[in-house]
Amino acid sequence: MRASQKDFESALSQVKLLKDPGNEVKLKLYALYKQATEGPCNTPKPGVFDLINKAKWDAWNALGSLPKETARQNYVDLVSGLSSSSDSSSQVKPEADRKQPGYETLVVTSEDSITKIMMNRPAKKNAMTTQMYNEIMLALKAASKDDSAITVLTGNGDYYSSGNDLSNFTDIPPEGIEEKAKSGAILLRDFVDCFIDFPKPLIAVVNGPAVGISVTILGLFDTVYASNRATFHTPFSHLGQSPEGCSSYTFPKIMGPAKAAEMLIFGKKLTAAEACAQGLVTEVFPDSTFQKEVWTRLKAYSKLPPNAMRISKQVIRNREKEKLHAINAEESRVLQERWLSDECTNAVMNFLTRKAKL
Ligand SMILES: CCCCCC/C=C/C(=O)SCCNC(=O)CCNC(=O)[C@H](O)C(C)(C)COP(=O)(O)OP(=O)(O)OC[C@H]1O[C@@H](n2cnc3c(N)ncnc32)[C@H](O)[C@@H]1OP(=O)(O)O
């Protein structure tokens, strides 16, 4: 439900009654207030020595073109969070309460300045349906605008993800299979574009085996933590398909062309340790302590200044963006053709009729 003007005014009164929430939160409140009442920052930037006004300006300016209504809603949410935490500062909200509504294939939560997007089809090994691709795009777009500092993608259950849900290939529209391939290529391109453009630090918490597109997009993440149970498998030739997720470019760059070819052409499955040795994974943790160690680390990272982290990411990634979009477009175009091939159709049919597994 959207916050009304009345909710906003009541949050403005409430904020005066709170105990000092600290400078960082005060800056957030200031920025959201200005955005909600005046819109995007268009006043001249204060000089470097005018420290306080410059910090305020930076916080406001960082909200970019966030719509007034969203800023108003975020202000109300922030004040309500501050009020409830000062009512009972040690109370931990159960995950169900923090869960963002509106997702069927994901569980999306925001806490400790971390937005966590968890793929949630454990019985199907988190295979990605068309709905899941669309929901991940929505969740990434929302996370890029929320007040979290970092964003995490992970999986529920024993798998991280088994990649594209092969039944995506079965609901052929009346216009025919060509049309299906065309819409699939558009969806794929849009999906990967969201990762290329994602502005904040993006972390993959790979809790178990990863297959296909869930592996290839890892080259677009800033950090990849893996359980020692995780494996990394891109069996495109087995499926009559070809690489996507910009892996035809990022993998040779990360691990060198010879190792990339073994994965992307011959479908060699890597263990977590091998993927780490080849630079695809940042660090591997024992499965028994994986969640605890990773989340402790991420909570510490999420307290770093968010603007500095975002800008560092831009400096690292921006010069590649245009190239990555072109590669994504080309990979999607090639796959569109592959999906119409007998090799691909037979491989998908063999899986769906239980004749083959990876
Ligand atoms: C818009 C389109 C964009 C497309 C981009 C291109 C993307 C390419 C790729 O991602 S290629 C990779 C595709 N993935 C696969 O080929 C994996 C297929 N799955 C398997 O081989 C196996 O299921 C397994 C090895 C992942 C796990 O085996 P096992 O541990 O024995 O479990 P089950 O096979 O019993 O699986 C449980 C349950 O989940 C269903 N399932 C698993 N993965 C998929 C999948 N990728 N697509 C559809 N369904 C999947 C499986 O059928 C079982 O369902 P059931 O219980 O029988 O109803």
mmCIF file of all heavy atoms in Angstrom, residues 45-91:
data_model
loop_
_atom_site.group_PDB
_atom_site.id
_atom_site.type_symbol
_atom_site.label_atom_id
_atom_site.label_comp_id
_atom_site.label_asym_id
_atom_site.label_seq_id
_atom_site.Cartn_x
_atom_site.Cartn_y
_atom_site.Cartn_z
ATOM 1 N N LYS A 45 26.010 22.182 -6.134
ATOM 2 C CA LYS A 45 26.717 21.402 -5.126
ATOM 3 C C LYS A 45 27.525 22.334 -4.218
ATOM 4 O O LYS A 45 28.285 23.174 -4.718
ATOM 5 C CB LYS A 45 27.670 20.442 -5.851
ATOM 6 C CG LYS A 45 28.369 19.487 -4.943
ATOM 7 C CD LYS A 45 29.161 18.479 -5.768
ATOM 8 C CE LYS A 45 29.771 17.475 -4.836
ATOM 9 N NZ LYS A 45 30.290 16.310 -5.490
ATOM 10 N N PRO A 46 27.380 22.199 -2.886
ATOM 11 C CA PRO A 46 28.166 23.055 -1.986
ATOM 12 C C PRO A 46 29.666 22.785 -2.139
ATOM 13 O O PRO A 46 30.074 21.703 -2.576
ATOM 14 C CB PRO A 46 27.690 22.637 -0.589
ATOM 15 C CG PRO A 46 26.411 21.920 -0.810
ATOM 16 C CD PRO A 46 26.480 21.308 -2.158
ATOM 17 N N GLY A 47 30.467 23.750 -1.752
ATOM 18 C CA GLY A 47 31.926 23.613 -1.877
ATOM 19 C C GLY A 47 32.459 22.519 -0.959
ATOM 20 O O GLY A 47 31.803 22.125 0.011
ATOM 21 N N VAL A 48 33.678 22.041 -1.251
ATOM 22 C CA VAL A 48 34.232 20.907 -0.500
ATOM 23 C C VAL A 48 34.407 21.192 0.991
ATOM 24 O O VAL A 48 34.418 20.282 1.802
ATOM 25 C CB VAL A 48 35.618 20.464 -1.035
ATOM 26 C CG1 VAL A 48 35.489 19.507 -2.173
ATOM 27 C CG2 VAL A 48 36.486 21.633 -1.368
ATOM 28 N N PHE A 49 34.558 22.472 1.337
ATOM 29 C CA PHE A 49 34.796 22.777 2.756
ATOM 30 C C PHE A 49 33.495 22.942 3.540
ATOM 31 O O PHE A 49 33.497 22.994 4.751
ATOM 32 C CB PHE A 49 35.688 24.010 2.905
ATOM 33 C CG PHE A 49 37.048 23.765 2.298
ATOM 34 C CD1 PHE A 49 37.463 24.450 1.166
ATOM 35 C CD2 PHE A 49 37.902 22.801 2.834
ATOM 36 C CE1 PHE A 49 38.694 24.186 0.592
ATOM 37 C CE2 PHE A 49 39.136 22.540 2.259
ATOM 38 C CZ PHE A 49 39.531 23.234 1.132
ATOM 39 N N ASP A 50 32.400 23.029 2.829
ATOM 40 C CA ASP A 50 31.091 23.141 3.493
ATOM 41 C C ASP A 50 30.601 21.714 3.780
ATOM 42 O O ASP A 50 29.654 21.205 3.170
ATOM 43 C CB ASP A 50 30.147 23.876 2.532
ATOM 44 C CG ASP A 50 28.825 24.199 3.190
ATOM 45 O OD1 ASP A 50 28.661 23.844 4.371
ATOM 46 O OD2 ASP A 50 27.966 24.793 2.515
ATOM 47 N N LEU A 51 31.269 21.053 4.746
ATOM 48 C CA LEU A 51 31.132 19.595 4.897
ATOM 49 C C LEU A 51 29.704 19.133 5.132
ATOM 50 O O LEU A 51 29.230 18.180 4.503
ATOM 51 C CB LEU A 51 32.021 19.106 6.046
ATOM 52 C CG LEU A 51 33.518 19.205 5.778
ATOM 53 C CD1 LEU A 51 34.301 18.754 6.997
ATOM 54 C CD2 LEU A 51 33.906 18.385 4.564
ATOM 55 N N ILE A 52 29.000 19.833 6.034
ATOM 56 C CA ILE A 52 27.666 19.341 6.397
ATOM 57 C C ILE A 52 26.696 19.461 5.220
ATOM 58 O O ILE A 52 26.024 18.510 4.830
ATOM 59 C CB ILE A 52 27.133 20.090 7.636
ATOM 60 C CG1 ILE A 52 28.033 19.717 8.824
ATOM 61 C CG2 ILE A 52 25.675 19.730 7.931
ATOM 62 C CD1 ILE A 52 27.702 20.393 10.118
ATOM 63 N N ASN A 53 26.709 20.662 4.596
ATOM 64 C CA ASN A 53 25.776 20.839 3.480
ATOM 65 C C ASN A 53 26.141 19.951 2.295
ATOM 66 O O ASN A 53 25.275 19.500 1.550
ATOM 67 C CB ASN A 53 25.714 22.306 3.056
ATOM 68 C CG ASN A 53 24.888 23.088 4.060
ATOM 69 O OD1 ASN A 53 23.881 22.569 4.562
ATOM 70 N ND2 ASN A 53 25.324 24.290 4.405
ATOM 71 N N LYS A 54 27.446 19.678 2.150
ATOM 72 C CA LYS A 54 27.858 18.807 1.046
ATOM 73 C C LYS A 54 27.365 17.370 1.304
ATOM 74 O O LYS A 54 26.870 16.699 0.392
ATOM 75 C CB LYS A 54 29.372 18.832 0.881
ATOM 76 C CG LYS A 54 29.823 18.053 -0.334
ATOM 77 C CD LYS A 54 31.290 18.217 -0.611
ATOM 78 C CE LYS A 54 31.722 17.179 -1.621
ATOM 79 N NZ LYS A 54 31.565 15.803 -1.159
ATOM 80 N N ALA A 55 27.467 16.918 2.558
ATOM 81 C CA ALA A 55 26.987 15.561 2.878
ATOM 82 C C ALA A 55 25.482 15.466 2.627
ATOM 83 O O ALA A 55 24.979 14.477 2.072
ATOM 84 C CB ALA A 55 27.303 15.233 4.330
ATOM 85 N N LYS A 56 24.757 16.540 2.989
ATOM 86 C CA LYS A 56 23.303 16.522 2.777
ATOM 87 C C LYS A 56 22.985 16.499 1.277
ATOM 88 O O LYS A 56 22.149 15.736 0.804
ATOM 89 C CB LYS A 56 22.664 17.760 3.409
ATOM 90 C CG LYS A 56 22.616 17.686 4.938
ATOM 91 C CD LYS A 56 22.352 19.040 5.503
ATOM 92 C CE LYS A 56 21.107 19.111 6.317
ATOM 93 N NZ LYS A 56 20.853 20.457 6.852
ATOM 94 N N TRP A 57 23.724 17.349 0.550
ATOM 95 C CA TRP A 57 23.500 17.422 -0.898
ATOM 96 C C TRP A 57 23.795 16.067 -1.547
ATOM 97 O O TRP A 57 23.032 15.579 -2.381
ATOM 98 C CB TRP A 57 24.413 18.512 -1.485
ATOM 99 C CG TRP A 57 24.158 18.806 -2.940
ATOM 100 C CD1 TRP A 57 23.336 19.750 -3.462
ATOM 101 C CD2 TRP A 57 24.742 18.128 -4.066
ATOM 102 N NE1 TRP A 57 23.360 19.724 -4.838
ATOM 103 C CE2 TRP A 57 24.221 18.721 -5.235
ATOM 104 C CE3 TRP A 57 25.645 17.090 -4.208
ATOM 105 C CZ2 TRP A 57 24.581 18.322 -6.502
ATOM 106 C CZ3 TRP A 57 26.005 16.662 -5.489
ATOM 107 C CH2 TRP A 57 25.472 17.283 -6.619
ATOM 108 N N ASP A 58 24.919 15.448 -1.126
ATOM 109 C CA ASP A 58 25.307 14.146 -1.707
ATOM 110 C C ASP A 58 24.217 13.102 -1.463
ATOM 111 O O ASP A 58 23.880 12.316 -2.351
ATOM 112 C CB ASP A 58 26.620 13.629 -1.077
ATOM 113 C CG ASP A 58 27.830 14.378 -1.617
ATOM 114 O OD1 ASP A 58 27.708 14.997 -2.691
ATOM 115 O OD2 ASP A 58 28.887 14.358 -0.947
ATOM 116 N N ALA A 59 23.676 13.103 -0.225
ATOM 117 C CA ALA A 59 22.649 12.109 0.113
ATOM 118 C C ALA A 59 21.399 12.325 -0.738
ATOM 119 O O ALA A 59 20.806 11.375 -1.267
ATOM 120 C CB ALA A 59 22.306 12.196 1.594
ATOM 121 N N TRP A 60 21.015 13.575 -0.907
ATOM 122 C CA TRP A 60 19.831 13.888 -1.721
ATOM 123 C C TRP A 60 20.094 13.546 -3.193
ATOM 124 O O TRP A 60 19.317 12.839 -3.845
ATOM 125 C CB TRP A 60 19.483 15.367 -1.519
ATOM 126 C CG TRP A 60 18.238 15.839 -2.250
ATOM 127 C CD1 TRP A 60 17.276 15.079 -2.838
ATOM 128 C CD2 TRP A 60 17.846 17.207 -2.466
ATOM 129 N NE1 TRP A 60 16.310 15.874 -3.401
ATOM 130 C CE2 TRP A 60 16.630 17.184 -3.185
ATOM 131 C CE3 TRP A 60 18.396 18.440 -2.109
ATOM 132 C CZ2 TRP A 60 15.968 18.344 -3.567
ATOM 133 C CZ3 TRP A 60 17.736 19.603 -2.483
ATOM 134 C CH2 TRP A 60 16.527 19.548 -3.206
ATOM 135 N N ASN A 61 21.250 14.003 -3.676
ATOM 136 C CA ASN A 61 21.576 13.786 -5.082
ATOM 137 C C ASN A 61 21.651 12.294 -5.426
ATOM 138 O O ASN A 61 21.312 11.872 -6.527
ATOM 139 C CB ASN A 61 22.926 14.461 -5.379
ATOM 140 C CG ASN A 61 23.222 14.489 -6.851
ATOM 141 O OD1 ASN A 61 22.365 14.870 -7.646
ATOM 142 N ND2 ASN A 61 24.407 14.049 -7.235
ATOM 143 N N ALA A 62 22.075 11.471 -4.432
ATOM 144 C CA ALA A 62 22.220 10.023 -4.670
ATOM 145 C C ALA A 62 20.874 9.363 -4.954
ATOM 146 O O ALA A 62 20.817 8.271 -5.504
ATOM 147 C CB ALA A 62 22.869 9.359 -3.460
ATOM 148 N N LEU A 63 19.783 10.039 -4.614
ATOM 149 C CA LEU A 63 18.471 9.431 -4.888
ATOM 150 C C LEU A 63 18.064 9.572 -6.349
ATOM 151 O O LEU A 63 17.052 9.016 -6.780
ATOM 152 C CB LEU A 63 17.397 10.048 -3.976
ATOM 153 C CG LEU A 63 17.600 9.782 -2.474
ATOM 154 C CD1 LEU A 63 16.504 10.457 -1.658
ATOM 155 C CD2 LEU A 63 17.596 8.287 -2.191
ATOM 156 N N GLY A 64 18.872 10.315 -7.110
ATOM 157 C CA GLY A 64 18.637 10.409 -8.566
ATOM 158 C C GLY A 64 17.211 10.820 -8.874
ATOM 159 O O GLY A 64 16.692 11.773 -8.309
ATOM 160 N N SER A 65 16.584 10.034 -9.762
ATOM 161 C CA SER A 65 15.229 10.420 -10.184
ATOM 162 C C SER A 65 14.149 9.606 -9.459
ATOM 163 O O SER A 65 13.060 9.396 -9.995
ATOM 164 C CB SER A 65 15.103 10.238 -11.694
ATOM 165 O OG SER A 65 15.437 8.908 -11.995
ATOM 166 N N LEU A 66 14.481 9.124 -8.261
ATOM 167 C CA LEU A 66 13.482 8.383 -7.462
ATOM 168 C C LEU A 66 12.180 9.201 -7.396
ATOM 169 O O LEU A 66 12.198 10.375 -7.012
ATOM 170 C CB LEU A 66 14.039 8.170 -6.043
ATOM 171 C CG LEU A 66 13.222 7.303 -5.101
ATOM 172 C CD1 LEU A 66 13.402 5.824 -5.478
ATOM 173 C CD2 LEU A 66 13.680 7.497 -3.650
ATOM 174 N N PRO A 67 11.039 8.595 -7.784
ATOM 175 C CA PRO A 67 9.795 9.376 -7.782
ATOM 176 C C PRO A 67 9.431 9.877 -6.367
ATOM 177 O O PRO A 67 9.749 9.216 -5.369
ATOM 178 C CB PRO A 67 8.749 8.369 -8.270
ATOM 179 C CG PRO A 67 9.512 7.260 -8.893
ATOM 180 C CD PRO A 67 10.864 7.231 -8.263
ATOM 181 N N LYS A 68 8.753 11.030 -6.336
ATOM 182 C CA LYS A 68 8.361 11.634 -5.053
ATOM 183 C C LYS A 68 7.583 10.648 -4.182
ATOM 184 O O LYS A 68 7.806 10.548 -2.981
ATOM 185 C CB LYS A 68 7.482 12.865 -5.305
ATOM 186 C CG LYS A 68 8.251 14.126 -5.631
ATOM 187 C CD LYS A 68 7.254 15.271 -5.770
ATOM 188 C CE LYS A 68 7.949 16.609 -5.790
ATOM 189 N NZ LYS A 68 7.043 17.737 -5.876
ATOM 190 N N GLU A 69 6.643 9.902 -4.817
ATOM 191 C CA GLU A 69 5.784 8.993 -4.034
ATOM 192 C C GLU A 69 6.629 7.889 -3.390
ATOM 193 O O GLU A 69 6.386 7.482 -2.258
ATOM 194 C CB GLU A 69 4.720 8.298 -4.917
ATOM 195 C CG GLU A 69 3.790 9.228 -5.660
ATOM 196 C CD GLU A 69 4.503 9.950 -6.793
ATOM 197 O OE1 GLU A 69 5.282 9.304 -7.508
ATOM 198 O OE2 GLU A 69 4.295 11.181 -6.921
ATOM 199 N N THR A 70 7.641 7.387 -4.154
ATOM 200 C CA THR A 70 8.488 6.320 -3.593
ATOM 201 C C THR A 70 9.313 6.866 -2.438
ATOM 202 O O THR A 70 9.494 6.219 -1.407
ATOM 203 C CB THR A 70 9.419 5.748 -4.692
ATOM 204 O OG1 THR A 70 8.656 5.530 -5.855
ATOM 205 C CG2 THR A 70 10.085 4.462 -4.261
ATOM 206 N N ALA A 71 9.813 8.103 -2.598
ATOM 207 C CA ALA A 71 10.608 8.706 -1.517
ATOM 208 C C ALA A 71 9.736 8.877 -0.273
ATOM 209 O O ALA A 71 10.166 8.612 0.851
ATOM 210 C CB ALA A 71 11.161 10.057 -1.972
ATOM 211 N N ARG A 72 8.496 9.289 -0.491
ATOM 212 C CA ARG A 72 7.579 9.483 0.635
ATOM 213 C C ARG A 72 7.346 8.146 1.341
ATOM 214 O O ARG A 72 7.418 8.037 2.556
ATOM 215 C CB ARG A 72 6.252 10.030 0.086
ATOM 216 C CG ARG A 72 5.290 10.455 1.154
ATOM 217 C CD ARG A 72 4.185 11.298 0.575
ATOM 218 N NE ARG A 72 3.281 10.499 -0.239
ATOM 219 C CZ ARG A 72 2.187 10.975 -0.824
ATOM 220 N NH1 ARG A 72 1.886 12.248 -0.712
ATOM 221 N NH2 ARG A 72 1.415 10.202 -1.533
ATOM 222 N N GLN A 73 7.117 7.099 0.510
ATOM 223 C CA GLN A 73 6.905 5.764 1.081
ATOM 224 C C GLN A 73 8.154 5.311 1.864
ATOM 225 O O GLN A 73 8.061 4.803 2.978
ATOM 226 C CB GLN A 73 6.641 4.766 -0.074
ATOM 227 C CG GLN A 73 6.515 3.323 0.360
ATOM 228 C CD GLN A 73 5.185 3.049 1.042
ATOM 229 O OE1 GLN A 73 4.134 3.301 0.456
ATOM 230 N NE2 GLN A 73 5.230 2.604 2.279
ATOM 231 N N ASN A 74 9.356 5.520 1.262
ATOM 232 C CA ASN A 74 10.590 5.084 1.929
ATOM 233 C C ASN A 74 10.800 5.848 3.233
ATOM 234 O O ASN A 74 11.290 5.295 4.210
ATOM 235 C CB ASN A 74 11.805 5.279 1.012
ATOM 236 C CG ASN A 74 11.772 4.332 -0.175
ATOM 237 O OD1 ASN A 74 10.880 3.505 -0.266
ATOM 238 N ND2 ASN A 74 12.708 4.451 -1.081
ATOM 239 N N TYR A 75 10.404 7.125 3.230
ATOM 240 C CA TYR A 75 10.543 7.935 4.448
ATOM 241 C C TYR A 75 9.647 7.343 5.548
ATOM 242 O O TYR A 75 10.078 7.106 6.677
ATOM 243 C CB TYR A 75 10.149 9.387 4.152
ATOM 244 C CG TYR A 75 10.389 10.326 5.315
ATOM 245 C CD1 TYR A 75 11.575 11.062 5.396
ATOM 246 C CD2 TYR A 75 9.454 10.473 6.334
ATOM 247 C CE1 TYR A 75 11.817 11.909 6.476
ATOM 248 C CE2 TYR A 75 9.686 11.314 7.419
ATOM 249 C CZ TYR A 75 10.864 12.036 7.476
ATOM 250 O OH TYR A 75 11.105 12.862 8.540
ATOM 251 N N VAL A 76 8.391 7.070 5.173
ATOM 252 C CA VAL A 76 7.437 6.522 6.155
ATOM 253 C C VAL A 76 7.942 5.172 6.671
ATOM 254 O O VAL A 76 7.934 4.901 7.871
ATOM 255 C CB VAL A 76 6.027 6.389 5.509
ATOM 256 C CG1 VAL A 76 5.074 5.621 6.407
ATOM 257 C CG2 VAL A 76 5.464 7.771 5.194
ATOM 258 N N ASP A 77 8.450 4.322 5.736
ATOM 259 C CA ASP A 77 8.947 2.999 6.153
ATOM 260 C C ASP A 77 10.143 3.136 7.089
ATOM 261 O O ASP A 77 10.262 2.414 8.074
ATOM 262 C CB ASP A 77 9.393 2.170 4.933
ATOM 263 C CG ASP A 77 8.198 1.751 4.086
ATOM 264 O OD1 ASP A 77 7.068 1.853 4.581
ATOM 265 O OD2 ASP A 77 8.416 1.332 2.931
ATOM 266 N N LEU A 78 11.032 4.069 6.739
ATOM 267 C CA LEU A 78 12.237 4.233 7.557
ATOM 268 C C LEU A 78 11.864 4.690 8.965
ATOM 269 O O LEU A 78 12.340 4.136 9.958
ATOM 270 C CB LEU A 78 13.183 5.247 6.878
ATOM 271 C CG LEU A 78 14.511 5.546 7.558
ATOM 272 C CD1 LEU A 78 15.308 4.267 7.809
ATOM 273 C CD2 LEU A 78 15.370 6.492 6.695
ATOM 274 N N VAL A 79 10.957 5.671 9.059
ATOM 275 C CA VAL A 79 10.553 6.172 10.378
ATOM 276 C C VAL A 79 9.839 5.067 11.147
ATOM 277 O O VAL A 79 10.098 4.856 12.335
ATOM 278 C CB VAL A 79 9.646 7.416 10.242
ATOM 279 C CG1 VAL A 79 9.096 7.823 11.595
ATOM 280 C CG2 VAL A 79 10.435 8.557 9.623
ATOM 281 N N SER A 80 9.003 4.304 10.443
ATOM 282 C CA SER A 80 8.280 3.256 11.166
ATOM 283 C C SER A 80 9.265 2.197 11.661
ATOM 284 O O SER A 80 9.144 1.693 12.775
ATOM 285 C CB SER A 80 7.176 2.710 10.273
ATOM 286 O OG SER A 80 7.234 1.346 10.185
ATOM 287 N N GLY A 81 10.301 1.882 10.871
ATOM 288 C CA GLY A 81 11.331 0.930 11.318
ATOM 289 C C GLY A 81 12.076 1.475 12.529
ATOM 290 O O GLY A 81 12.334 0.750 13.487
ATOM 291 N N LEU A 82 12.377 2.794 12.495
ATOM 292 C CA LEU A 82 13.127 3.390 13.613
ATOM 293 C C LEU A 82 12.272 3.394 14.877
ATOM 294 O O LEU A 82 12.750 3.115 15.965
ATOM 295 C CB LEU A 82 13.532 4.828 13.276
ATOM 296 C CG LEU A 82 14.583 4.974 12.174
ATOM 297 C CD1 LEU A 82 14.708 6.430 11.743
ATOM 298 C CD2 LEU A 82 15.927 4.441 12.643
ATOM 299 N N SER A 83 10.967 3.680 14.701
ATOM 300 C CA SER A 83 10.087 3.729 15.867
ATOM 301 C C SER A 83 9.991 2.358 16.498
ATOM 302 O O SER A 83 10.121 2.196 17.687
ATOM 303 C CB SER A 83 8.670 4.147 15.501
ATOM 304 O OG SER A 83 8.720 5.283 14.732
ATOM 305 N N SER A 84 9.795 1.302 15.636
ATOM 306 C CA SER A 84 9.623 -0.006 16.256
ATOM 307 C C SER A 84 10.927 -0.485 16.858
ATOM 308 O O SER A 84 10.923 -1.140 17.888
ATOM 309 C CB SER A 84 9.046 -1.026 15.284
ATOM 310 O OG SER A 84 9.832 -1.065 14.157
ATOM 311 N N SER A 85 12.100 -0.117 16.250
ATOM 312 C CA SER A 85 13.333 -0.608 16.865
ATOM 313 C C SER A 85 13.628 0.163 18.143
ATOM 314 O O SER A 85 14.227 -0.369 19.063
ATOM 315 C CB SER A 85 14.514 -0.554 15.900
ATOM 316 O OG SER A 85 14.789 0.763 15.582
ATOM 317 N N SER A 86 13.144 1.443 18.252
ATOM 318 C CA SER A 86 13.395 2.101 19.531
ATOM 319 C C SER A 86 12.376 1.650 20.587
ATOM 320 O O SER A 86 12.636 1.684 21.764
ATOM 321 C CB SER A 86 13.416 3.625 19.396
ATOM 322 O OG SER A 86 12.143 4.077 19.075
ATOM 323 N N ASP A 87 11.192 1.138 20.125
ATOM 324 C CA ASP A 87 10.243 0.568 21.086
ATOM 325 C C ASP A 87 10.853 -0.659 21.751
ATOM 326 O O ASP A 87 10.743 -0.890 22.929
ATOM 327 C CB ASP A 87 8.958 0.082 20.381
ATOM 328 C CG ASP A 87 8.137 1.258 19.910
ATOM 329 O OD1 ASP A 87 8.436 2.380 20.350
ATOM 330 O OD2 ASP A 87 7.222 1.044 19.083
ATOM 331 N N SER A 88 11.486 -1.522 20.943
ATOM 332 C CA SER A 88 12.097 -2.734 21.500
ATOM 333 C C SER A 88 13.355 -3.005 20.696
ATOM 334 O O SER A 88 13.327 -3.731 19.712
ATOM 335 C CB SER A 88 11.149 -3.904 21.389
ATOM 336 O OG SER A 88 10.811 -4.135 20.060
ATOM 337 N N SER A 89 14.457 -2.367 21.114
ATOM 338 C CA SER A 89 15.634 -2.370 20.268
ATOM 339 C C SER A 89 16.242 -3.749 20.078
ATOM 340 O O SER A 89 16.942 -3.980 19.118
ATOM 341 C CB SER A 89 16.675 -1.400 20.821
ATOM 342 O OG SER A 89 16.882 -1.700 22.169
ATOM 343 N N SER A 90 15.961 -4.720 20.971
ATOM 344 C CA SER A 90 16.589 -6.024 20.792
ATOM 345 C C SER A 90 15.681 -7.013 20.068
ATOM 346 O O SER A 90 16.041 -8.141 19.827
ATOM 347 C CB SER A 90 16.969 -6.597 22.155
ATOM 348 O OG SER A 90 15.789 -6.729 22.906
ATOM 349 N N GLN A 91 14.461 -6.542 19.723
ATOM 350 C CA GLN A 91 13.512 -7.470 19.110
ATOM 351 C C GLN A 91 13.906 -7.781 17.660
ATOM 352 O O GLN A 91 14.159 -6.866 16.887
ATOM 353 C CB GLN A 91 12.144 -6.801 19.126
ATOM 354 C CG GLN A 91 11.000 -7.757 18.955
ATOM 355 C CD GLN A 91 9.702 -6.985 19.001
ATOM 356 O OE1 GLN A 91 9.527 -6.087 19.804
ATOM 357 N NE2 GLN A 91 8.812 -7.322 18.091
#
